Amino acid sequence: MASSLLHCSDKLPFMDVEAILHMKEGLGETSYAQNSSLQKRGMDTLKSLITNAATDVYISQMPERFTVADLGCSSGPNALCLVEAIVGSVGRVCGRRPSQPPPEFSVLLNDLPTNDFNTIFFSLPEFTDRLKAAAETDEWGRPMVFLSGVPGSFYGRLFPRRSVHFVCSCSSLHWLSQVPPGLFDEAGRPVNTGKMYISSTSPAAVPVAYLRQFQRDLGLFLKCRAAEVVPGGRMVLAMLGRQTEAGYIDRRTTFLWELLSESLAALVSQGVVEQEKVDAYNVPFYAPSMEEVEEEVRREGSFRLDYAQTYEISLSSSGDAREDGRTVSMAIRAIQESMLSHHFGADVVDALFHRYTDLVTESMEREEVKSLQIGVVLTRYSTGLRTGCALGLPFNSLLRRRRLLRPLSVLGAGGQGYFLPGAWVPI
Amino acid sequence: MASSLLHCSDKLPFMDVEAILHMKEGLGETSYAQNSSLQKRGMDTLKSLITNAATDVYISQMPERFTVADLGCSSGPNALCLVEAIVGSVGRVCGRRPSQPPPEFSVLLNDLPTNDFNTIFFSLPEFTDRLKAAAETDEWGRPMVFLSGVPGSFYGRLFPRRSVHFVCSCSSLHWLSQVPPGLFDEAGRPVNTGKMYISSTSPAAVPVAYLRQFQRDLGLFLKCRAAEVVPGGRMVLAMLGRQTEAGYIDRRTTFLWELLSESLAALVSQGVVEQEKVDAYNVPFYAPSMEEVEEEVRREGSFRLDYAQTYEISLSSSGDAREDGRTVSMAIRAIQESMLSHHFGADVVDALFHRYTDLVTESMEREEVKSLQIGVVLTRYSTGLRTGCALGLPFNSLLRRRRLLRPLSVLGAGGQGYFLPGAWVPI
């Protein structure tokens, strides 16, 4: 839980991302709980991939205690969504094998210490009731689910050695541990003036600084998880991403930051916000390409990359630009309010998002707005099996291959999935 | 996490203790965090007993991962107090043995789902800093401490089977899972009219109802922990209690409830609160005698009772009755506000505690006010060793006996500790 301070001149405020960044707490109108339907749709798209990968790990290991972790669980209804699906899925597998009682589930919900865990915990009785009802319907006995909240940055160790069978992380790994130090020159002056993320007008140093920070962070993430995940255990990681044809600029990822920079510029022209503050504001965010993720997985070397997928989600879901614009604007507010308030002061947030809603709505009236997500399935190597792992697979691995193939058919036309060469031998 | 509803007539409000009872959240003037100095003193008195018992378990088992649980951790500064002492104590033992690296610590903080876990988690960076500083001072290396919050009632299962080495619980087990059903007759009429706890004017059915609920709850607690604690693992349990010479009425425990009933009576006479509501209000609390605790431990049969102790704490700590009266009143408010607000409405709480502070202060001007606590050390039997466990102990058990004796010398004159016959053979 080491804090990470922004390398910044004394004149500018420090930004300790770990201590500040959190989804808007509570259940109010601007809370993340009320404004996370976009993330929910991303999770729903991945749900089959996640539950199949988790069930696969369970079947291959059959532990008495099956430990599942959701990293970056946030708060609100999304926080329990994936773990509920995983428990149900493994439970149904056991229900089909009368001789196999379901395991005890240890469910670890992780997010930064500033996350609103209270709201998750308040909703536990309903979570338990839903699980019981599902277990009765599917006749797989009463599940023993032990749930805990694990506060801390996933760019550090979170769990004891070899204690976790399955990890999932959705819509979180695009958040960096800190604003990249390279966004400030040696004198502490910001280099990405007027912008908060990589933009077509950004100097070349900007995407390089972001990429380096992402590589460092993902490498650290993988190293920590390598210590925690049991051999043969799996991770499904999904995050906002981009396609390389577009270089560093993929409109599906940069677009919403561009509009937020424009909204800030409007407040500068009204004299509400200082230009210097806007210049110094950068989001600790990076949308990687699939190749960048694959490269880091290979470089770190503890996990085999079994499956990779990119998929688009339309943000113009209702067909009503005003409604969709408000949904998107409120979602970005729930995510960004903590950092914007810290940097600019809480009193500018309403005006900023009033302008932002207008800009997003205008764009959505002109065109369909989409986001691009990438997802990967990784398997923890057993010691000594880092190379040649795909050769001479036993029969049950072939069964597992079929199981993991299944999600492709349910992901819809928007998804582009492929198995990595060497991950499995052909049948 | 099954909810427990009060058996009560339709006219009276239900009291789902698990969903309502919680220490006052946050860091404000009336919060538990600001008003838990009395509980802190109770914990400080027990700290040596707890750290010695925990260290003893560690030395006897030397696990790579040492799992410690604090049940009923509450929020505020007390929440991390005991686990910090345990980690430090085990770390120092390892520091004295250069060949023995400290274990990975898994620290499980439990309380009801309505507890304010957010406030605990916000304070984690300081907790980590303190641990690092202590580790540097004592030269026992950087500790790996994995902390999680486990929401749920300790009258149900909280952790996977055989997963915990050491459990402590301070100032929590006097809280029952529900208001005893026997406090209402078959027609749903309250039998303990005008009182909220056992009083000299209570009918005989009242202490019987409380004792039965306590026996049922403690039995359930022990059964659940028996599944979770590893063989040879230990628990230190401390709670408010009474001495049997006084029957069911021990002024050190009943006194503060009597004054709260008196305060409510004053509000009734002012027409602010209805008598019917006061009659129906009972605290889900029971102060057991040591004999009652011992009997339940023997009856359940999974734990050996190694050590038992009663000790007094003076609540008249500053010598200034007005200051002490306010401290005690605010402490009771932080504990009881959630239930009182639910039953009587939030608008009566200020007036109630204004009166209560006066009554407590007047009493403290007349006499020294004390509370009585009882503490026990239990060891989980290994399978098949439930009888005759004390015979033929190996040498290191004799060493452990000396270790556990040590706390007696630091507990001060107020403590009365004794080893249970048969728990250890004499040297």
Side-chain angles (χ1 to χ4, degrees), chain A residues 194-250:
Chain A
K195 300 293 177 184
M196 63 176 68
Y197 184 57
I198 301 167
S199 157
S200 56
T201 62
S202 298
V206 171
V208 171
Y210 270 108
L211 174 59
R212 282 201 185 137
Q213 187 64 46
F214 175 76
Q215 288 170 327
R216 175 187 165 279
D217 284 345
L218 185 59
L220 203 54
F221 176 93
L222 293 168
K223 190 178 171 196
C224 292
R225 300 298 85 75
E228 297 162 355
V229 174
V230 301
R234 278 206 173 139
M235 304 204 289
V236 176
L237 310 178
M239 65 205 89
L240 288 171
R242 69 181 204 283
Q243 284 184 316
T244 42
E245 298 83 46
Y248 286 103
I249 311 289
D250 185 323

Side-chain angles (χ1 to χ4, degrees), chain B residues 19-142:
Chain B
I20 295 160
L21 174 65
H22 62 272
M23 306 301 104
K24 178 73 174 176
E25 66 281 358
L27 297 166
E29 190 189 354
T30 60
S31 67
Y32 182 79
Q34 300 288 342
N35 295 285
S36 48
S37 60
L38 298 180
Q39 290 87 342
K40 175 73 165 55
R41 283 169 53 208
M43 288 161 72
D44 285 346
T45 311
L46 278 168
K47 205 180 267 182
S48 294
L49 187 68
I50 289 171
T51 55
N52 280 299
T55 310
D56 195 47
V57 174
Y58 173 71
I59 291 173
S60 66
Q61 308 219 352
M62 293 282 188
E64 284 189 6
R65 181 196 318 167
F66 189 54
T67 302
V68 174
D70 184 345
L71 308 191
C73 64
S74 73
S75 61
N78 290 358
L80 294 166
C81 172
L82 290 178
V83 294
E84 188 173 336
I86 292 168
V87 170
S89 179
V90 172
R92 277 189 293 278
V93 166
C94 298
R96 289 196 293 270
R97 304 173 178 210
S99 63
Q100 180 65 32
E104 289 189 341
F105 292 92
S106 180
V107 170
L108 312 170
L109 296 177
N110 156 260
D111 212 310
L112 290 173
T114 45
N115 183 52
D116 185 4
F117 282 94
N118 283 356
T119 301
I120 307 176
F121 293 170
F122 289 170
S123 70
L124 275 188
E126 294 94 58
F127 169 74
T128 311
D129 288 346
R130 284 198 305 275
L131 274 183
K132 278 185 200 161
E136 278 167 22
T137 306
D138 298 333
E139 295 180 354
W140 49 275
R142 186 173 168 170

Side-chain angles (χ1 to χ4, degrees), chain A residues 43-157:
Chain A
M43 288 161 72
D44 285 345
T45 311
L46 278 167
K47 205 180 266 182
S48 295
L49 186 69
I50 289 170
T51 54
N52 280 297
T55 309
D56 194 47
V57 174
Y58 173 70
I59 290 173
S60 67
Q61 308 219 352
M62 293 282 187
E64 284 189 6
R65 181 195 318 167
F66 188 54
T67 303
V68 174
D70 184 346
L71 307 191
C73 63
S74 72
S75 62
N78 291 358
L80 295 166
C81 172
L82 291 177
V83 294
E84 188 174 336
I86 292 168
V87 170
S89 179
V90 173
R92 277 188 293 278
V93 165
C94 298
R96 289 196 293 270
R97 304 173 178 209
S99 63
Q100 180 65 31
E104 290 189 341
F105 291 93
S106 180
V107 170
L108 312 169
L109 296 177
N110 156 259
D111 212 310
L112 289 173
T114 46
N115 183 52
D116 184 3
F117 282 94
N118 283 356
T119 301
I120 307 176
F121 293 169
F122 289 170
S123 70
L124 275 188
E126 293 95 58
F127 169 74
T128 311
D129 288 346
R130 284 197 305 274
L131 275 183
K132 277 184 199 161
E136 277 167 22
T137 306
D138 298 333
E139 294 180 353
W140 49 275
R142 186 173 168 170
M144 291 291 269
V145 180
F146 303 104
L147 188 141
S148 55
V150 182
S153 165
F154 52 47
Y155 296 123
R157 285 285 303 280

Side-chain angles (χ1 to χ4, degrees), chain B residues 225-413:
Chain B
R225 301 297 85 74
E228 297 162 356
V229 174
V230 301
R234 278 206 173 140
M235 304 203 288
V236 176
L237 310 178
M239 65 206 90
L240 288 171
R242 69 180 205 283
Q243 284 184 316
T244 42
E245 299 83 47
Y248 286 102
I249 310 289
D250 185 324
R251 188 170 161 74
R252 291 168 292 190
T253 306
T254 57
F255 172 70
L256 293 172
W257 298 125
E258 285 285 351
L259 294 188
L260 199 52
S261 292
E262 271 186 52
S263 307
L264 279 170
L267 296 193
V268 170
S269 66
Q270 292 164 23
V272 178
V273 165
E274 294 167 30
Q275 181 64 48
E276 189 190 19
K277 284 215 157 190
V278 174
D279 291 344
Y281 188 72
N282 297 285
V283 282
F285 169 93
Y286 183 69
S289 69
M290 185 62 85
E291 291 75 15
E292 287 163 358
V293 172
E294 287 177 22
E295 186 188 330
E296 203 51 40
V297 170
R298 267 194 294 270
R299 196 197 58 73
E300 195 280 327
S302 304
F303 290 90
R304 186 181 68 215
L305 205 164
D306 286 338
Y307 180 73
Q309 184 189 7
T310 60
Y311 53 101
E312 267 189 341
I313 293 178
S314 172
L315 305 184
S316 305
S317 52
S318 79
D320 175 344
R322 185 147 293 278
E323 186 182 328
D324 291 336
R326 187 180 178 280
T327 301
V328 170
S329 175
M330 292 293 274
I332 299 295
R333 178 175 180 159
I335 292 167
Q336 269 287 290
E337 185 165 342
S338 59
M339 298 195 70
L340 289 164
S341 292
H342 176 82
H343 190 86
F344 295 104
D347 50 342
V348 309
V349 175
D350 278 343
L352 178 65
F353 280 94
H354 185 78
R355 179 74 188 138
Y356 187 61
T357 304
D358 288 345
L359 288 178
V360 175
T361 303
E362 284 168 23
S363 296
M364 294 182 105
E365 279 167 351
R366 286 196 303 271
E367 61 182 323
E368 185 183 6
V369 175
K370 295 173 179 175
S371 77
L372 185 77
Q373 306 225 18
I374 61 180
V376 292
V377 181
L378 309 180
T379 301
R380 176 75 175 96
Y381 286 122
S382 302
T383 314
L385 283 179
R386 292 190 180 202
T387 57
C389 57
L391 302 174
L393 285 185
F395 179 67
N396 66 351
S397 292
L398 300 181
L399 282 181
R400 288 210 297 279
R401 178 179 179 278
R402 285 202 200 93
R403 170 174 297 282
L404 202 63
L405 271 167
R406 277 199 328 221
L408 288 175
S409 61
V410 298
L411 282 168

